């Protein structure tokens, strides 16, 4: 529901078409590309040919001309729609019912299966629409555009295909529907199943329906086998499985990178102006993502991601570590504001790129070393950490040991505010601490002593500068009086024990200051854009885990149930939640939120032994 104060979008450019959308979207994909589909079976977001590519379908952020940027199936007199994922897969089924009782089924997926000793994952979307009851009238509208909606395609057609030339790339639709009726958007009676294969400009060697059946069967089998090997808890299995599949869909398998979200510019809330491009890899996410993948037993994806992070490290040896990179290790991610599209519900601006890559964020050193340390200790992995990798990590550790008490933009990526953030300092300590542990594993006694001395020095100073005796709490920045949700991670990384009274009292103060209803804000004060209007879901999930750690398990379980109740109808979460309306805001689906669901469920669930 749109609250009254949000009824007047402020950024609708003349001649553009905002959409009255919401984030009740499904995601399909195959770790090469992904698409978001709304409750009427319209594809409203798809970047091509990879997760951070040009959004050829961009209707989620509005259109220049009505209907542009979507692959829509318009059916007359719809009264009801139902959606579900086929069990334990990334295959989406939508059932659409009309006023006269007709029913239509739409199946959407991206092919992914084992073939000739490798994973077949083409940049291809497949959909089939079939009448279940009756013969409804349908209109197919397929309107991709290039350059964030600014460029209309050059279109050519054959007897069974349509080619859309979009700048330097061409999409080919192969179908057993009439190309003429699609191009002219003519309504027709749906009296048989119709198949649509949309991908690169290559000819299909078989009938679309035959390819669809074959790929559907193979893709179904792939996902069910993948899920079968997940290490899942006794409780909330459906939650963990859906979160794990979604995390997999946010991974770009060619390099191992995992995007923070599949979208750009879904605002944190209304006209806040907080519209960021999340289609990149944040090093900050690496530790928690690796830990989640490890706990799930998804070792291949974890190994790929560690490889991605190791590649980033190799490219950053002589520079300060920047906070985010592109999927193919791109270091330059300039940010642009695009005026052509109005933005989600008209709440722009729409941005491409993210200027946060220029920020100093000192926590990245710890995040990287914590993530990569897994490969020094995990004997399941094919590629193990060695001396060369250790020495490369030491270069990062040296920077952490120098920069730990230098001001930075911090975890929350303040654009103009800078201070010595406790979380950043703590992650620098974690970098030194893990290097000491790795050195011991490698039997490098001198290096272990060296890094242990650094870690002990940093820990002592952090406790002196970040602990506020009057408040009986750690605080957000050295010498400050504010708290932020990142302090909840101090026990996770091992700086302080969870049963330490100082951690308990910090958790209690955070609850008093940042909790609104059943959700947690990241901080209470103003930032570059004023006070935040929405709770950050990952912060609520951190709080839930912290409550469990300090013995308030019943309260943690109750809050977790509230978070689960705020997922969309397909079990997915964005970045934030508006506390009063319960509405999802922010980029979608957000990897961090899905990782947080996994961690919280695994932490709170009764064990299999307790259950039986």
């Amino acid at each position: 529901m749109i609250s009254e104060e949000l009824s007047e979008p402020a950024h609708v450019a003349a001649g553009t078409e905002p959409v009255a959308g919401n984030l009740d979207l499904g995601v399909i994909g195959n770790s090469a590309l992904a698409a978001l589909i709304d409750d009427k079976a319209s594809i409203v977001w798809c970047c091509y040919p990879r997760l951070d590519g040009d959004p050829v379908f961009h209707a989620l952020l509005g259109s220049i001309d009505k209907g542009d940027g979507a692959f829509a199936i318009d059916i007359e007199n719809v009264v009801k729609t139902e959606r579900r994922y086929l069990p334990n897969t990334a295959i989406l089924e939508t059932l659409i019912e009309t006023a006269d009782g007709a029913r239509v089924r739409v199946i959407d997926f991206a092919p992914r299966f084992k073939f000739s000793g490798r994973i077949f994952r083409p940049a291809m979307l497949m959909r089939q629409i079939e009448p279940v009851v009756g013969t409804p009238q349908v209109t197919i509208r397929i309107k991709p555009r290039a350059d964030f909606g600014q460029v209309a395609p050059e279109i050519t057609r054959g007897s069974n295909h349509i080619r859309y030339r979009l700048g330097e790339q061409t999409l080919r639709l192969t179908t057993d529907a009439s190309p003429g009726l699609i191009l002219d958007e003519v309504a027709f009676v749906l009296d048989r199943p119709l198949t649509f294969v949309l991908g690169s400009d290559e000819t299909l060697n078989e009938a679309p329906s035959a390819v669809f059946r074959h790929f559907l069967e193979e893709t179904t089998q792939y996902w069910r086998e993948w899920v079968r090997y997940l290490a899942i808890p006794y409780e909330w299995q459906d939650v963990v499985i859906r979160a794990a599949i979604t995390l997999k869909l946010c991974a770009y398998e060619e390099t191992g990178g995992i995007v923070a979200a599949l979208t750009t510019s879904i605002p944190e809330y209304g006209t806040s102006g907080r519209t960021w491009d999340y289609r990149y890899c944040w090093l900050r996410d690496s530790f928690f993502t690796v830990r989640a993948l490890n706990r799930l037993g998804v070792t291949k994806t974890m190994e790929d991601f560690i490889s991605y992070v190791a590649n980033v490290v190799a490219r950053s040896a002589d520079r300060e570590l920047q906070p985010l990179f592109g999927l193919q290790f791109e270091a330059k991610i300039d940010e642009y504001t695009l005026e052509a599209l109005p933005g989600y519900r008209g709440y722009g601006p729409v941005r491409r790129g993210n200027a946060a890559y220029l920020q100093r964020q000192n926590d990245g050193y710890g995040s990287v070393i914590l993530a990569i340390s897994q490969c020094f200790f995990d004997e399941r992995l094919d590629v193990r950490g060695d001396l060369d990798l250790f020495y490369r990590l030491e270069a990062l550790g040296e920077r952490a040991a120098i920069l730990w008490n230098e001001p930075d933009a911090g975890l929350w990526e303040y654009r103009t505010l800078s201070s010595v953030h406790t979380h950043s300092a703590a992650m620098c300590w974690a970098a030194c601490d893990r290097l000491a542990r790795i050195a011991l594993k490698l039997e490098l006694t001198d290096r272990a002593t060296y890094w242990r001395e650094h870690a002990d020095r940093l820990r002592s100073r952090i406790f002196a500068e970040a602990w506020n005796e009057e408040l009986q709490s750690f605080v957000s920045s050295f010498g400050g009086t504010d708290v932020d949700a990142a302090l909840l991670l101090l026990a996770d990384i091992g700086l302080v024990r969870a049963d330490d009274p100082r951690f308990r009292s910090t958790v209690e103060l955070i609850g008093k200051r940042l909790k609104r209803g059943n959700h947690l804000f990241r901080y209470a004060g103003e930032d570059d854009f004023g006070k935040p209007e929405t709770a950050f879901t990952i912060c609520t999930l951190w709080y839930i885990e912290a409550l469990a750690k300090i013995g308030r398990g019943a309260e943690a379980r109750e809050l977790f149930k509230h978070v689960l109740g705020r997922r969309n109808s397909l079990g997915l979460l964005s970045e934030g939640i508006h506390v009063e309306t319960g509405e999802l805001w922010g980029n979608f689906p957000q990897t961090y939120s899905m990782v947080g669901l996994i961690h919280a469920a695994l932490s709170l669930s009764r064990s299999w032994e307790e259950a039986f």
Side-chain angles (χ1 to χ4, degrees):
M1 178 180 294
I2 305 175
S3 59
E4 186 176 351
E5 63 183 295
L6 297 180
S7 60
E8 294 295 337
H11 295 275
V12 181
T16 61
E17 289 285 338
V19 292
N22 58 56
L23 296 180
D24 192 14
L25 305 168
V27 55
I28 61 169
N30 59 5
S31 298
L33 88 166
L36 301 180
I37 301 174
D38 72 11
D39 61 350
K40 296 180 179 61
S42 289
I43 297 174
V44 295
W45 184 257
C46 178
C47 299
Y48 199 88
R50 62 185 211 190
L51 303 178
D52 60 351
D54 190 13
V56 294
F57 294 119
H58 53 73
L60 186 63
L61 299 182
S63 306
I64 295 174
D65 294 319
K66 189 172 184 178
D68 277 352
F71 184 160
I73 300 169
D74 291 341
I75 301 175
E76 295 182 353
N77 302 317
V78 172
V79 294
K80 181 180 178 183
T81 62
E82 297 176 12
R83 290 178 301 163
R84 64 163 188 150
Y85 283 107
L86 301 190
N88 296 345
T89 77
I91 299 167
L92 185 63
E93 177 189 73
T94 305
L95 293 172
I96 304 171
E97 186 173 323
T98 66
D100 60 0
R103 300 192 82 195
V104 172
R105 176 187 291 118
V106 183
I107 298 289
D108 284 292
F109 68 98
R112 179 180 174 85
F113 51 86
K114 294 177 182 175
F115 178 72
S116 296
R118 59 185 186 274
I119 297 294
F120 177 68
R121 43 174 167 70
M124 175 186 290
L125 302 177
M126 306 198 78
R127 64 183 351 191
Q128 189 172 74
I129 172 172
E130 63 172 328
V132 178
V133 176
T135 52
Q137 291 250 349
V138 302
T139 304
I140 307 296
R141 308 180 200 276
I142 306 174
K143 306 182 75 169
R145 292 180 71 101
D147 197 11
F148 274 73
Q150 298 177 91
V151 179
E154 298 175 19
I155 298 175
T156 60
R157 58 156 291 182
S159 55
N160 297 104
H161 75 267
I162 302 171
R163 297 172 73 248
Y164 302 90
R165 182 161 181 77
L166 297 154
E168 296 180 352
Q169 61 184 354
T170 300
L171 282 179
R172 175 187 283 252
L173 174 77
T174 305
T175 180
D176 47 17
S178 163
L181 296 183
I182 294 171
L183 289 173
D184 293 338
E185 300 181 20
V186 176
F188 59 91
V189 172
L190 182 70
D191 56 3
R192 59 185 173 85
L194 297 176
T195 303
F196 305 86
V197 181
L198 185 66
S200 59
D201 190 19
E202 299 174 355
T203 304
L204 285 185
N205 294 322
E206 298 180 71
S209 59
V211 175
F212 181 91
R213 283 194 300 273
H214 174 57
F215 284 10
L216 178 62
E217 180 180 344
E218 294 284 351
T219 301
T220 302
Q221 184 176 339
Y222 168 83
W223 282 113
R224 289 181 176 165
E225 182 179 356
W226 189 83
V227 168
R228 189 175 298 123
Y229 289 102
L230 291 177
I232 57 174
Y234 174 72
E235 298 177 87
W236 302 298
Q237 293 182 20
D238 58 329
V239 173
V240 172
I241 289 171
R242 185 52 49 200
I245 290 175
T246 306
L247 181 56
K248 181 70 175 171
L249 299 185
C250 292
Y252 183 65
E253 204 158 78
E254 276 194 30
T255 61
I258 299 177
V259 296
L262 294 173
T263 59
T264 174
S265 305
I266 307 298
E268 291 182 16
Y269 185 67
T271 58
S272 66
R274 305 171 196 264
T275 55
W276 315 118
D277 193 345
Y278 276 13
R279 300 171 302 153
Y280 306 104
C281 306
W282 265 258
L283 298 180
R284 175 175 303 114
D285 299 353
S286 57
F287 167 54
F288 295 99
T289 302
V290 165
R291 197 173 64 150
L293 294 170
N294 179 39
R295 297 177 76 179
L296 290 169
V298 186
T299 54
K300 180 65 170 63
T301 305
M302 180 177 72
E303 197 164 17
D304 289 346
F305 187 52
I306 290 173
S307 173
Y308 173 87
V309 176
N311 268 282
V312 167
V313 170
R315 287 165 167 76
S316 306
D318 300 324
R319 305 190 303 269
E320 282 195 21
L321 193 62
Q322 65 186 64
L324 64 147
F325 290 83
L327 283 171
Q328 294 188 167
F329 319 119
E330 295 91 342
K332 188 176 173 62
I333 310 173
D334 289 336
E335 180 176 305
Y336 302 94
T337 298
L338 303 167
E339 302 295 338
L341 296 179
Y344 177 73
R345 295 187 188 171
Y347 298 116
V350 172
R351 301 178 202 263
R352 177 175 59 193
N354 197 312
Y357 86 93
L358 295 168
Q359 292 183 351
R360 170 181 282 182
Q361 297 179 22
N362 295 333
D363 59 317
Y365 301 100
S367 297
V368 166
I369 293 174
L370 262 65
I372 293 182
S373 64
Q374 182 79 25
C375 70
F376 288 91
F377 297 94
D378 193 335
E379 297 190 4
R380 297 169 300 175
L381 305 186
D382 291 335
V383 180
R384 303 289 303 282
D386 57 16
L387 283 175
D388 286 343
L389 180 56
F390 173 72
Y391 293 139
R392 287 205 299 274
L393 293 182
E394 279 201 305
L396 297 182
E398 294 290 356
R399 290 190 175 278
I402 293 171
L403 297 172
W404 70 278
N405 60 351
E406 293 288 328
D408 72 348
L411 171 74
W412 309 119
E413 301 187 343
Y414 298 113
R415 294 220 156 186
T416 60
L417 307 175
S418 179
S419 59
V420 181
H421 292 97
T422 300
H423 173 262
S424 297
M427 292 303 287
C428 288
W429 165 84
C432 299
D433 174 78
R434 298 314 191 270
L435 284 171
R437 298 177 194 226
I438 296 170
L440 278 179
K441 174 74 173 176
L442 297 175
E443 300 181 350
L444 302 172
T445 307
D446 290 348
R447 302 313 296 165
T449 300
Y450 175 81
W451 288 113
R452 179 53 56 203
E453 289 174 354
H454 270 311
D456 290 347
R457 175 176 61 87
L458 265 60
R459 185 175 187 274
S460 174
R461 294 306 307 156
I462 292 168
F463 274 67
E465 301 288 349
W467 173 257
N468 186 308
E469 187 66 25
E470 183 178 351
L471 294 174
Q472 286 294 294
S473 175
F474 291 104
V475 288
S476 308
S477 57
F478 284 11
T481 56
D482 294 328
V483 294
D484 70 336
L487 298 170
L488 297 168
L489 302 175
L490 296 180
D492 258 356
I493 63 173
L495 181 73
V496 61
R497 289 173 54 92
D499 60 1
D500 188 313
R502 289 171 292 189
F503 182 67
R504 169 183 283 275
S505 58
T506 300
V507 174
E508 290 172 348
L509 184 62
I510 287 172
K512 289 176 184 174
R513 288 193 176 182
L514 303 185
K515 187 165 170 280
R516 306 285 187 274
N518 296 306
H519 303 277
L520 204 77
F521 277 54
R522 53 196 150 164
Y523 43 79
E526 292 190 357
D527 57 23
D528 314 271
F529 295 82
K531 284 191 174 183
E533 295 100 334
T534 50
F536 255 36
T537 299
I538 187 60
C539 297
T540 306
L541 293 164
W542 289 342
Y543 184 60
I544 288 169
E545 280 203 88
L547 288 177
K549 284 185 172 72
I550 64 173
R552 292 163 60 180
E555 186 181 349
R557 289 175 67 91
E558 195 62 30
L559 286 179
F560 189 51
K561 291 176 184 175
H562 282 287
V563 172
L564 296 181
R566 295 306 183 192
R567 294 175 300 155
N568 75 9
S569 63
L570 291 165
L572 308 180
L573 283 169
S574 64
E575 182 177 51
I577 293 174
H578 190 259
V579 175
E580 281 75 27
T581 66
E583 191 173 14
L584 298 180
W585 286 91
N587 281 309
F588 178 91
Q590 210 219 18
T591 302
Y592 227 178
S593 297
M594 305 313 288
V595 166
L597 282 179
I598 293 168
H599 282 304
L602 291 170
S603 298
L604 297 177
S605 172
R606 286 183 292 161
S607 68
W608 288 90
E609 290 76 13
E610 289 173 326
F612 295 100

